[in-house]
């Protein structure tokens, strides 16, 4: 009977203690809640109100309220997760493209300098680009670039007039970039080499089939051409003497359409034109590198004829045979045929891609 009495006292004590706690909580809330308002439920209690005993426990001391990311951090994270499109200067048909991702921005100039030591001996051009998150565009990267990028694009040109890239070129680029990324804690995305080599071989075969250069010679009949008069006639025809020792006929964008060079081994030099004399000159048209090849050819032939008439020369081919209407017609047909094949293949004659492939 004593134990039952003690148990009853304990039960009554616990019930009374709970009632006292509830009354205490109500008094704490009365100054914060109007009398006309509905009694708040537990989920609506203001932060910090209530005794510590009623706060739900957390698992571990590290549990805390999660901080919402800022707009800038979300933008930066998104830029790192989603690879941007390739630079407009890059074409996957003619370039082996490697994307490099860095968690933290990496100064592009340091990447370029670190990789240049590893890429020595690569026979094909390698171009670098960095993606600017703020401007949302790719920027050309060089040894002196000081901007930091999350994304870097490296493009190895697969074909030029020396032939296709070989396995050694791709391996050297891949190994060099991997070592560079290990240094800067970046992640390279290396495409398959076998597919790129097969693509390079196919593209090289096509380029070899449409690669045509047309040369026209203007040779002296009786006496050599004087350099001063030759220069005046060339400049009057709109040609400009450049550092390579040739007169260039350029379009409105500054792209060479055809060139006039010395038939003899020595190049033209501006300071030496007064004392120069030559037995002839050569006009050359690089068909894949120009748009509207027939029109450019006709202009080149017109310049050649003007020079021949003014200098008492003759327009001949490499075999010193005169150019007749039949030969001119055949050349026009060849130009139309080869440039048409390029367009069907998807390479526009005279485009930036064509000038890279046929260089």
């Amino acid at each position: 009977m004593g134990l039952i009495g003690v148990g009853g006292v304990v039960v009554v004590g616990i019930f009374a203690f709970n009632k006292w706690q509830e009354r205490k909580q109500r008094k704490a809330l009365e100054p914060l809640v109007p009398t006309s308002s509905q009694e708040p439920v537990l989920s609506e209690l203001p932060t910090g109100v209530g005794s510590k005993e009623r706060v739900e426990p957390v698992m571990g001391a590290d549990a805390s309220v999660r901080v919402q990311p800022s707009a800038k951090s979300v933008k930066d994270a998104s830029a790192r997760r989603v690879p941007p499109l390739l630079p407009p200067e890059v074409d996957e048909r003619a370039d082996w493209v490697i994307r490099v991702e860095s968690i933290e921005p990496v100064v592009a100039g340091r990447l370029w300098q670190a990789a240049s030591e590893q890429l020595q001996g690569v026979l094909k051009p390698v171009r670098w680009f960095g993606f600017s998150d703020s401007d949302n565009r790719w920027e050309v990267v060089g040894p002196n670039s000081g901007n930091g990028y999350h994304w870097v694009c490296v493009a190895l040109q697969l074909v030029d007039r020396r032939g296709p890239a070989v396995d050694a070129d791709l391996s050297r680029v891949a190994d060099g970039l991997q070592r560079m990324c290990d240094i800067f804690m970046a992640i390279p995305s290396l495409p398959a080499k076998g597919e790129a080599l097969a693509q390079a071989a196919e593209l090289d075969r096509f380029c070899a089939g449409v690669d045509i250069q047309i040369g026209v010679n203007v040779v002296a009949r009786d006496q050599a051409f004087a350099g001063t008069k030759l220069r005046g006639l060339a400049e009057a025809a709109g040609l400009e003497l450049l550092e390579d020792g040739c007169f260039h006929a350029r379009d409105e964008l500054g792209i060479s359409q055809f060139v006039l060079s010395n038939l003899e081994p020595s190049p033209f030099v501006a300071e030496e034109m007064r004392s120069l004399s030559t037995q002839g000159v050569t006009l050359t048209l690089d068909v894949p590198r120009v748009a509207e090849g027939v029109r450019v050819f006709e202009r080149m032939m017109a310049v050649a004829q003007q020079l021949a008439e003014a200098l008492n020369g003759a327009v001949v081919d490499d075999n010193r045979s005169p150019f007749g209407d039949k030969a001119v017609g055949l050349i026009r047909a060849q130009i139309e045929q080869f440039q048409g094949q390029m367009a069907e293949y998807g390479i526009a004659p005279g485009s930036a891609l064509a000038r890279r492939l046929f260089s």
Side-chain angles (χ1 to χ4, degrees):
M1 294 298 292
L3 291 176
I4 292 174
V6 172
V9 171
V10 171
V11 171
V12 172
I14 292 174
F15 179 78
F17 179 78
N18 287 339
K19 284 294 184 179
W20 175 76
Q21 287 277 48
E22 183 178 350
R23 180 180 179 85
K24 183 178 179 181
Q25 293 292 336
R26 288 179 179 275
K27 288 184 176 181
L29 289 174
E30 285 178 358
L32 301 175
V33 183
T35 55
S36 60
S37 63
Q38 182 180 356
E39 183 176 358
V41 295
L42 182 61
S43 61
E44 297 174 344
L45 291 178
T47 303
V49 176
S51 63
K52 294 182 180 180
E53 291 78 6
R54 289 188 178 268
V55 175
E56 292 294 331
V58 295
M59 298 298 295
D62 295 332
S64 60
V65 178
R66 177 175 296 179
V67 178
Q68 295 297 323
S70 65
K72 183 178 184 304
S73 63
V74 171
K75 179 180 178 181
D76 291 343
S78 177
R80 292 193 296 270
R81 286 194 303 268
V82 182
L85 298 177
L86 291 178
E89 299 90 345
V90 172
D91 193 314
E92 288 186 296
R93 296 172 298 173
D95 297 304
W96 194 51
V97 184
I98 301 171
R99 293 180 176 89
V100 177
E101 180 185 8
S102 176
I103 303 301
E104 297 296 332
V106 179
V107 176
R110 295 178 58 194
L111 287 176
W112 194 96
Q113 293 174 359
S116 62
E117 300 177 0
Q118 307 289 345
L119 302 185
Q120 290 181 359
V122 177
L123 300 180
K124 293 293 181 282
V126 179
R127 296 176 299 156
W128 291 70
F129 305 88
F131 187 78
S132 172
D133 294 333
S134 58
D135 296 333
N136 195 34
R137 64 183 179 87
W138 288 97
E139 300 172 343
V140 178
V141 171
N144 298 320
S145 298
N147 295 333
Y149 303 100
H150 290 295
W151 286 97
V152 173
C153 175
V154 182
L156 169 69
Q157 186 171 316
L158 292 174
V159 173
D160 57 19
R161 275 185 166 145
R162 295 171 294 180
V166 297
D167 183 77
D169 293 325
L170 274 64
S171 296
R172 189 181 294 270
V173 171
D175 295 342
L177 290 180
Q178 184 63 64
R179 285 193 290 268
M180 177 203 71
C181 290
D182 292 342
I183 295 173
F184 292 95
M185 300 184 65
I187 304 172
S189 177
L190 297 172
K193 290 193 299 182
E195 182 178 348
L197 292 172
Q199 180 178 332
E202 178 187 353
L203 182 59
D204 182 65
R205 285 193 296 269
F206 170 78
C207 290
V210 298
D211 193 1
I212 176 175
Q213 291 178 310
I214 299 172
V216 178
N217 303 309
V218 181
V219 297
R221 294 180 185 274
D222 300 324
Q223 60 183 20
F225 300 154
T228 303
K229 189 172 184 180
L230 176 61
R231 180 178 183 178
L233 291 171
E235 291 178 349
L239 279 65
E240 181 182 359
L241 180 58
L242 300 182
E243 295 180 356
D244 62 353
C246 300
F247 288 91
H248 289 249
R250 301 197 288 181
D251 61 11
E252 60 276 4
L253 299 177
I255 300 173
S256 292
Q257 303 291 283
F258 62 89
V259 299
L260 185 151
S261 59
N262 194 353
L263 186 61
E264 298 179 1
S266 58
F268 293 130
V269 180
E271 294 78 10
E272 301 175 0
M273 291 300 292
R274 290 185 178 182
S275 59
L276 178 137
S277 64
T278 180
Q279 292 296 323
V281 294
T282 301
L283 294 91
T284 306
L285 167 61
D286 203 339
V287 174
R289 292 173 60 88
V290 300
E292 301 181 14
V294 172
R295 180 185 61 81
V296 176
F297 170 69
E298 291 176 347
R299 182 191 171 193
M300 185 180 75
M301 291 299 298
V303 172
Q305 193 62 43
Q306 292 172 5
L307 292 175
E309 294 175 357
L311 298 171
N312 190 25
V315 180
V316 298
D317 59 19
D318 290 339
N319 298 319
R320 299 300 176 97
S321 299
F323 261 97
D325 293 339
K326 183 177 180 180
V328 172
L330 290 175
I331 291 175
R332 286 198 189 99
Q334 282 186 326
I335 293 174
E336 291 177 346
Q337 174 187 351
F338 290 137
Q339 291 202 330
Q341 291 176 0
M342 290 180 63
E344 290 178 0
Y345 195 82
I347 302 174
S351 63
L353 176 58
R355 293 196 301 273
R356 287 201 293 121
L357 293 175
F358 296 93
S359 62

